[in-house]
């Protein structure tokens, strides 16, 4: 099974069950374009890591009448969302699943700490 994701000028691909049989064809198709392939050996970890922020953003958007712009200034809702993402990443780590990319969990944990400090300062 092939999995595909993307962003930042690259397409992340990987196989859940071995090698990508048509990878040479993909390499040829992407040979002369700026959009590059990023083949991951552990696409399962990448998929699980990416579902956490996607689920949280989706849940929050439904809480705010499907309009993320209404989160602006809603510190409680943003704190809840970041707490949930932090918890999701901790669950993956407890299951020995590598968060991919690793910086994702560090950014969330850092954001959570900053928001908590602001909240405790009653600003």
């Amino acid at each position: 099974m092939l999995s595909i994701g993307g962003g930042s000028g690259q397409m992340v691909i990987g196989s859940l069950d071995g090698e990508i049989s048509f990878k040479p064809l993909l390499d040829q198709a992407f040979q002369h374009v700026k959009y590059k392939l990023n083949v991951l050996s552990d696409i399962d970890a990448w998929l699980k890591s990416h579902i956490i922020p996607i689920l949280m953003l989706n849940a929050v958007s439904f809480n705010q009448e499907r309009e993320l712009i209404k989160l602006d200034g809603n510190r409680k809702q943003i704190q809840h969302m970041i707490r949930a993402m932090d918890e999701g990443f901790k669950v993956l780590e407890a299951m020995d699943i590598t968060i991919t990319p690793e910086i994702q969990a560090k950014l969330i944990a850092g954001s959570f700490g900053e928001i908590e400090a602001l909240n405790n300062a009653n600003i």
Side-chain angles (χ1 to χ4, degrees):
M1 178 178 155
L2 175 72
S3 183
I4 301 173
S8 305
Q10 67 175 345
M11 179 183 295
V12 176
I13 64 171
S15 176
L16 293 173
D17 52 6
E19 295 295 319
I20 302 169
S21 61
F22 53 92
K23 186 171 177 312
L25 184 61
L26 289 172
D27 289 337
Q28 183 180 2
F30 283 83
Q31 186 175 9
H32 300 292
V33 298
K34 290 182 182 180
Y35 200 72
K36 298 298 177 192
L37 291 177
N38 180 6
V39 181
L40 296 181
S41 59
D42 192 359
I43 196 69
D44 185 63
W46 185 88
L47 290 167
K48 289 174 179 166
S49 298
H50 277 69
I51 196 65
I52 291 170
I54 291 167
L55 286 173
M56 293 312 108
L57 288 169
N58 187 42
V60 168
S61 71
F62 280 104
N63 287 343
Q64 295 297 327
E65 300 170 17
R66 297 187 178 120
E67 294 184 36
L68 287 175
I69 193 71
K70 291 184 179 180
L71 282 176
D72 188 27
N74 189 338
R75 186 167 45 185
K76 276 185 132 178
Q77 191 70 40
I78 292 171
Q79 283 177 319
H80 184 70
M81 179 182 67
I82 291 173
R83 236 183 246 120
M85 282 191 267
D86 188 46
E87 183 177 336
F89 289 133
K90 285 178 181 175
V91 167
L92 290 182
E93 288 172 343
M95 297 172 65
D96 289 326
I97 296 170
T98 304
I99 301 189
T100 308
E102 186 179 342
I103 190 75
Q104 192 172 222
K106 290 179 181 178
L107 290 173
I108 295 301
S111 298
F112 180 66
E114 291 170 15
I115 289 173
E116 280 292 300
L118 284 173
N119 190 44
N120 293 336
N122 292 320
I123 295 176

